[in-house]
């Protein structure tokens, strides 16, 4: 029996759907990326001279326009294999594989992708950044910090439309207290809000929101569980981050999940599921100010 491509094709839409539903940064995914090969994309960059003084005798001052293709290599090639005993799912792989795939993507893949992207943006040189500060019950002015962030982005001529506010649950809690609201229905209490100053609000769990993470390789002693951890000492919790999607190239490349039946998988009487993913995020050199970071002053423990 050959590799069960039909079953892989059947469940691929499920994999994509689960990722889109649970990944907080999927709204940054870049469509129509130009791939040079399996893991390299190309981005066209241009630069040009500004205006010169028009001379009524000699006319226009000649300017120069340059354009180059910049290649960006997807650096993160991650994967994992799982084995499902044939007796655990005797008739079909529907239940076992469906549960495995859904839980794996929801609890392992998407948190890692989100965490990697936030850390990559936070670590990019030249982005807008506030003075680091912890947000606590005795020291917080989230609304004021957001006003300063917006002013910075406005001064750098980042488009106002389309900005996304990623905010930690801790900062969001205090932001709600900083904003005066009125209830539309006295019988319904809802203290939350989904936008502020035109920015979509995306709340981020603390375990996905750090300036630095360490990816485990799955084989080294102490790293066999795989996944990631937030880097201690040199990594800091993020309070909020404003991102304009045009500032980044965000690519997730799913390869076809491979499913081997017990007849093909020779090591055991079991189904084998391989999952591999290429992904990365890049910040345009000319658009670094499209990202603004406000992080904590106290490092990860």
């Amino acid at each position: 029996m050959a590799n069960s491509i039909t079953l892989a094709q059947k469940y691929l839409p499920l994999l994509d759907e689960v990722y889109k539903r649970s990944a907080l940064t999927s709204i940054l995914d870049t469509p129509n990326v130009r791939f040079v090969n399996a893991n390299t994309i190309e981005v066209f960059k241009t630069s040009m001279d500004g205006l010169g003084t028009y001379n009524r005798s000699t006319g226009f001052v000649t300017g120069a326009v340059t354009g180059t293709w910049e290649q960006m290599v997807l650096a993160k090639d991650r994967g994992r294999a799982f084995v499902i005993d044939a007796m655990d799912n005797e008739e079909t792989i529907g239940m076992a594989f469906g549960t495995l795939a859904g839980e794996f993507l929801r609890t392992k893949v998407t948190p890692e992708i989100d965490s990697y992207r936030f850390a990559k943006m936070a670590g990019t040189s030249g982005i807008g950044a506030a003075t680091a500060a912890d947000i606590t019950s005795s020291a917080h002015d989230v609304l004021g910090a957001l006003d300063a962030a917006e002013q910075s982005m406005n001064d750098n001529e980042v488009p106002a439309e389309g900005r996304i506010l990623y905010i930690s649950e801790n900062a969001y809690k205090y932001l709600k207290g900083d904003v005066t609201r009125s209830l539309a229905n006295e019988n319904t209490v809802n203290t939350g809000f989904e936008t502020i100053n035109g920015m979509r609000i995306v709340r981020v769990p603390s375990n996905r929101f750090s300036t630095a993470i360490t990816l485990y390789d799955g084989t080294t002693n102490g790293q066999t569980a795989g996944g990631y951890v937030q880097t201690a000492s040199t990594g800091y919790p993020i309070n909020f981050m404003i991102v304009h999607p045009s500032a980044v190239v965000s690519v997730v490349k799913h390869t076809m999940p491979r499913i081997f039946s017990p007849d093909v998988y020779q090591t055991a009487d079991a189904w084998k599921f391989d999952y591999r993913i290429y992904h990365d995020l890049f910040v345009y050199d000319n658009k670094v100010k499209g990202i603004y970071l406000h992080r904590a002053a106290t490092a990860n423990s």
Side-chain angles (χ1 to χ4, degrees):
M1 180 178 178
N3 182 11
S4 302
I5 295 297
T6 300
L7 291 170
Q9 291 173 335
K10 175 181 177 182
Y11 283 100
L12 184 58
L14 170 63
L15 301 183
D16 286 340
E17 179 185 358
V18 171
Y19 164 66
K20 294 294 183 182
R21 184 168 59 246
S22 58
L24 302 177
T25 57
S26 63
I27 51 180
L28 300 178
D29 286 352
T30 305
N32 304 320
V33 174
R34 173 176 171 172
F35 274 91
V36 180
N37 53 43
N39 66 346
T40 304
I41 63 175
E42 282 191 335
V43 174
F44 191 68
K45 296 177 62 177
T46 62
S47 62
M48 61 193 71
D49 295 333
L51 290 170
T53 300
Y54 182 83
N55 187 297
R56 295 190 179 187
S57 298
T58 59
F60 295 98
V61 179
T62 301
V65 178
T66 59
T68 57
W69 283 101
E70 179 182 359
Q71 291 194 348
M72 300 176 174
V73 179
L74 277 64
K76 297 308 165 188
D77 189 357
R78 305 280 283 169
R80 185 62 98 170
F82 294 96
V83 175
I84 306 170
D85 189 272
M87 295 307 296
D88 290 338
N89 202 11
E90 188 173 0
E91 295 182 355
T92 71
I93 65 166
M95 180 63 71
F97 176 68
T99 301
L100 167 68
E103 286 299 291
F104 179 60
L105 288 168
R106 185 178 65 84
T107 64
K108 303 299 181 181
V109 176
T110 58
E112 179 178 311
I113 292 175
D114 281 342
S115 298
Y116 173 79
R117 288 177 169 183
F118 289 130
K120 183 77 177 285
M121 288 187 286
T124 299
S125 177
I127 65 172
T131 301
D134 295 330
I135 296 177
T136 65
S137 58
S138 59
H140 67 87
D141 182 10
V142 181
L143 187 58
L146 284 175
D147 288 341
E150 289 189 89
Q151 180 181 351
S152 174
M153 298 186 84
N154 291 341
D155 284 341
N156 284 291
E157 303 187 51
V158 179
E161 184 177 359
R163 295 177 190 174
I164 301 169
L165 170 61
Y166 289 102
I167 188 167
S168 71
E169 291 290 351
N170 180 58
Y172 180 76
K173 175 179 66 176
Y174 293 112
L175 176 61
K176 289 192 298 181
D178 292 340
V179 177
T180 301
R181 289 151 299 171
S182 59
L183 295 177
N185 185 338
E186 64 181 9
N187 296 319
T188 301
V189 176
N190 184 357
T191 63
F193 44 93
E194 298 180 351
T195 63
I196 184 168
N197 297 339
M199 294 185 292
R200 174 179 175 181
I201 295 175
V202 179
R203 295 154 60 179
V204 185
S206 59
N207 66 332
R208 301 191 193 190
F209 221 23
S210 173
T211 62
I213 65 169
T214 300
L215 296 176
Y216 282 175
D217 59 25
T219 57
T220 302
N221 185 31
Q223 299 187 19
T224 54
Y228 72 97
V229 294
Q230 295 178 340
T231 307
S233 302
T234 58
Y236 297 82
I238 297 174
N239 296 321
F240 68 80
M241 179 181 288
I242 301 176
V243 180
H244 197 284
S246 66
V248 301
V249 181
S250 181
V251 181
V252 172
K253 187 172 185 179
H254 288 279
T255 57
M256 180 67 71
R258 301 192 307 174
I259 304 168
F260 298 93
S261 72
D263 293 336
V264 176
Y265 183 53
Q266 299 299 308
T267 305
D269 180 22
W271 292 89
K272 184 171 183 286
F273 166 53
D274 293 342
Y275 182 84
R276 183 184 178 190
I277 183 172
Y278 271 124
H279 76 96
D280 215 330
L281 178 143
F282 308 95
V283 180
Y284 286 109
D285 292 342
N286 296 334
K287 297 182 178 180
V288 290
K289 297 303 183 183
I291 299 172
Y292 187 95
L293 171 70
H294 190 294
R295 69 165 176 84
T298 303
N300 296 321
S301 58

